Amino acid sequence: MKLNDLVPRRQTLRNMDFTKFAPLLALVVLVVISAIASPYFLSARNLTNLLRQSSYFGIIALGMTFIIASEGIDLSVGSMVAFVGGVIVMTLNYYFIYFLAPFAILFAVITGMIFGALIGAFNGFLSTVGRIAPFVATLATMSIFRSLSLYLSGAGVFRVEVPGYAQIGSSVFLGIPVPVWIFAVLAVLANLLLNNTRYGRYLLASGANEQVARYSAIKVQLVKFVPYALTGFAVAVSAILVSSRLNSINSTNAGLYYELDAIASVVIGGTPLSGGVASIWGTVIGAIILGVIGNMLNLMGVSPYLQGAVRGLVIIAAVSLQYKRQ
């Protein structure tokens, strides 16, 4: 091989953006470290539990990716899980009075998804039509949704009284929990929507430069409204899986810190908070990374009160790396 033949290859390597693979590399390193630190980490039971837990907030993170790509943010998703989950359980128990269990479950699931999309759309309305900064709007609704869930339950627990509902969140298909399959299917659909549709291009354009997008005849207000409704739908799916797994929803701590986990998954996956760029698969890897970190800390006996601090440090590190890259 001649020396001249190596030049194009070197130029190709230099032009490659290796930072795109940083989340995947970080995941591999964490898995290796976790496997060395604990002999139980690579057990099938532990890995399935890890993926199941990651899927709950990972599903929400898919919707959060669209919001952050549009240069927005949603701090209410954790409280929304408790509120939507409570409404689903109440609706389920009500329908069971008049219908057989399978029909009651079906009607309650559909009702929950519609309700989740509607209150997500409410966040979008405040942020777009209402012209309230997304941070402020969703900070307010975070308090509203949590308070409503506490009021409806009497600061207690919404308990499911319908047999068979628990099978949704606890079932396993081909050795993999159903929530993980749902997470994977929604990730594929979200990736198609973001990268293979006109709406996805409009969303990234609006997040990158809103003024230029308006000059390009893009309906920026509508484009930025849709992600909040999508996230509300994703929250409803997560609430269904969580409530069916536990056969109840605790109004006090259901969805607690899910907003932090969802935002961290998006940021770790390579989507900048400044908007205009997004990676669905990066978000999926980011959610699994957080799951691995939490699982590793549990196996090592680290206090659960310190795990939030670790998540915060991970977010700071991810944002710092993005800032340096830009």
Side-chain angles (χ1 to χ4, degrees):
M1 181 180 294
K2 297 181 180 180
L3 182 61
N4 293 335
D5 295 335
L6 296 175
V7 175
R9 295 186 181 183
R10 291 177 178 176
Q11 291 177 347
T12 302
L13 290 174
R14 289 177 181 177
N15 293 332
M16 287 181 65
D17 187 6
F18 289 99
T19 57
K20 293 181 179 180
F21 303 99
L24 182 59
L25 179 61
L27 176 60
V28 172
V29 171
L30 279 173
V31 168
V32 172
I33 294 175
S34 300
I36 296 173
S38 173
Y40 303 105
F41 177 78
L42 292 179
S43 66
R45 183 176 181 180
N46 183 66
L47 291 178
T48 54
N49 286 334
L50 185 158
L51 291 175
R52 189 199 302 270
Q53 292 298 325
S54 300
S55 66
Y56 295 145
F57 61 84
I59 290 172
I60 300 173
L62 297 177
M64 189 71 73
T65 304
F66 285 85
I67 292 179
I68 292 179
S70 69
E71 206 178 7
I73 200 164
D74 190 343
L75 301 178
S76 69
V77 292
S79 298
M80 203 186 298
V81 169
F83 185 34
V84 176
V87 170
I88 291 172
V89 173
M90 292 172 63
T91 305
L92 178 63
N93 294 336
Y94 175 79
Y95 282 143
F96 188 52
I97 299 175
Y98 304 99
F99 301 100
L100 296 175
F103 294 103
I105 293 172
L106 177 62
F107 296 154
V109 166
I110 294 174
T111 301
M113 289 180 178
I114 295 173
F115 182 70
L118 286 176
I119 63 174
F122 177 67
N123 281 339
F125 176 83
L126 293 177
S127 301
T128 56
V129 180
R131 297 186 180 279
I132 301 175
F135 181 90
V136 177
T138 58
L139 183 64
T141 55
M142 176 178 70
S143 177
I144 293 172
F145 296 152
R146 182 67 69 178
S147 295
L148 288 174
S149 64
L150 290 169
Y151 174 77
L152 292 174
S153 66
V157 179
F158 298 93
R159 300 191 183 278
V160 177
E161 301 173 359
V162 181
Y165 182 66
Q167 294 179 2
I168 298 176
S170 59
S171 298
V172 176
F173 179 68
L174 297 178
I176 300 176
V178 168
V180 180
W181 284 110
I182 294 175
F183 182 26
V185 170
L186 291 178
V188 172
L189 295 176
N191 186 67
L192 290 174
L193 178 60
L194 182 66
N195 298 312
N196 298 92
T197 65
R198 181 181 299 177
Y199 172 76
R201 293 191 294 272
Y202 286 174
L203 177 72
L204 296 178
S206 300
N209 194 316
E210 182 176 326
Q211 195 62 38
V212 172
R214 292 184 188 277
Y215 290 151
S216 302
I218 296 176
K219 297 180 180 179
V220 174
Q221 195 173 74
L222 176 61
V223 168
K224 291 192 172 187
F225 168 84
V226 172
Y228 290 94
L230 291 176
T231 302
F233 174 82
V235 167
V237 174
S238 181
I240 292 167
L241 297 174
V242 171
S243 61
S244 62
R245 172 67 173 171
L246 303 174
N247 223 26
S248 64
I249 276 287
N250 192 317
S251 62
T252 304
N253 58 22
L256 194 64
Y257 298 130
Y258 272 24
E259 62 279 352
L260 179 63
D261 290 337
I263 294 171
S265 299
V266 176
V267 174
I268 292 171
T271 299
L273 293 173
S274 56
V277 179
S279 172
I280 293 296
W281 297 119
T283 296
V284 172
I285 294 174
I288 297 175
I289 286 175
L290 283 181
V292 171
I293 292 174
N295 184 263
M296 180 174 63
L297 293 176
N298 286 329
L299 292 176
M300 294 176 63
V302 177
S303 170
Y305 301 113
L306 293 176
Q307 293 185 17
V310 175
R311 290 189 182 95
L313 292 173
V314 170
I315 295 175
I316 292 173
V319 173
S320 300
L321 290 174
Q322 286 185 0
Y323 177 77
K324 291 180 180 179
R325 187 190 314 168
Q326 292 173 357

